[in-house]
Amino acid sequence: QLQLQESGPGLVKPSETLSLTCTVSGDSITTSESYWGWIRQPPGKDLEWIGSIYYSGETYYNPSLKRRVTISVDTSNNQFSLTLSSVTAADTAIYYCASGGIYNWFDPWGQGTLVTVSS
Amino acid sequence: DIQMTQSPSSLTASVGDRVTITCRASQDIYKSLAWYQQKPGKAPKFLLYGASRLGSGVPSRISGSGSGTDYTLTISSLQPEDSATYHCQQYDITPYSFGQGTKLEI
């Protein structure tokens, strides 16, 4: 059974870099021929797609965040990661990782991790 | 970018009722539409893809339809556990985008 779990700091200072890792279990990132995605949801607001990475390493980012986002894969640990630079309070959100399958609908999702940007 | 607009933003229904939620895209998305159910404090749960194809384990009283720019999610014979927020998502073109959600109260 495919499962995903986010990890990383819950508090980041303004102007610093947010870094999160998603650990995948139940399948191999490199052999599944899938996309792996990051989605966020500010408290009480809509879901926003941040970006996706293909198992081969090809990345797709939301243009609204592209200048600040990097998604990468760590095949040795079956993980993929998100970094978001120069964060502001507007980046405070629950961050989810998810399996995007072949077409980038997302199933399953990790449980999510709340990241607060505050000094 | 493709904008996804859901209606209504919220609705209240009773056990046993049938409800329909609408999702409209700002351009044709060629049935590249998924629906998710999200309960408070939980991650979204995938329901269906391709506008009408149910995910594994999703009860058959949930159905989807539509084409072009207009899509619907129908839940027949509502159960108490259907109380949640429902989100649509287009995956036709990046940036992939979600609707603003429809909160369903039973």
Side-chain angles (χ1 to χ4, degrees):
Chain A
Q1 180 184 359
L2 182 61
Q3 292 184 312
L4 296 88
Q5 176 71 58
E6 306 88 351
S7 60
L11 181 64
V12 182
K13 290 182 168 56
S15 80
E16 295 190 346
T17 295
L18 178 161
S19 295
L20 296 173
T21 296
C22 182
T23 300
V24 177
S25 59
D27 198 2
S28 168
I29 283 181
T30 53
T31 61
S32 62
E33 298 188 3
S34 290
Y35 288 93
W36 304 91
W38 287 97
I39 303 102
R40 70 180 183 178
Q41 186 174 36
K45 296 188 178 180
D46 304 346
L47 295 161
E48 179 181 32
W49 174 72
I50 299 170
S52 296
I53 187 165
Y54 196 43
Y55 78 105
S56 60
E58 190 175 356
T59 53
Y60 303 85
Y61 299 132
N62 192 322
S64 68
L65 299 168
K66 187 173 184 177
R67 292 183 302 107
R68 301 191 290 130
V69 172
T70 301
I71 297 175
S72 59
V73 169
D74 177 358
T75 57
S76 61
N77 290 305
N78 214 36
Q79 298 173 329
F80 63 104
S81 298
L82 167 72
T83 62
L84 181 66
S85 63
S86 304
V87 297
T88 70
D91 295 309
T92 293
I94 298 172
Y95 286 76
Y96 297 100
C97 62
S99 172
I102 300 174
Y103 297 106
N104 274 293
W105 67 77
F106 298 104
D107 179 42
W109 298 52
Q111 66 183 28
T113 187
L114 174 62
V115 179
T116 301
V117 178
S118 174
S119 56
Chain B
D1 297 3
I2 297 176
Q3 309 302 316
M4 306 298 292
T5 303
Q6 288 182 231
S7 61
S9 56
S10 65
L11 75 157
T12 302
S14 300
V15 172
D17 284 355
R18 172 188 171 107
V19 298
T20 297
I21 299 168
T22 297
C23 181
R24 174 165 289 175
S26 58
Q27 64 187 67
D28 195 328
I29 57 171
Y30 306 98
K31 295 189 177 184
S32 298
L33 185 89
W35 287 95
Y36 303 89
Q37 176 194 66
Q38 185 177 28
K39 296 187 177 182
K42 299 294 187 181
K45 173 189 171 187
F46 171 74
L47 294 177
L48 60 83
Y49 68 100
S52 62
R53 302 186 178 196
L54 286 184
S56 176
V58 176
S60 57
R61 55 196 178 75
I62 292 176
S63 62
S65 65
S67 61
T69 62
D70 295 329
Y71 299 86
T72 60
L73 178 73
T74 299
I75 308 174
S76 60
S77 189
L78 276 173
Q79 301 299 306
E81 60 266 29
D82 296 328
S83 183
T85 298
Y86 293 83
H87 307 270
C88 61
Q89 178 223 338
Q90 68 82 16
Y91 53 90
D92 183 52
I93 297 176
T94 61
Y96 306 123
S97 48
F98 294 84
Q100 81 278 18
T102 295
K103 185 175 182 179
L104 171 61
E105 294 184 340
I106 308 296

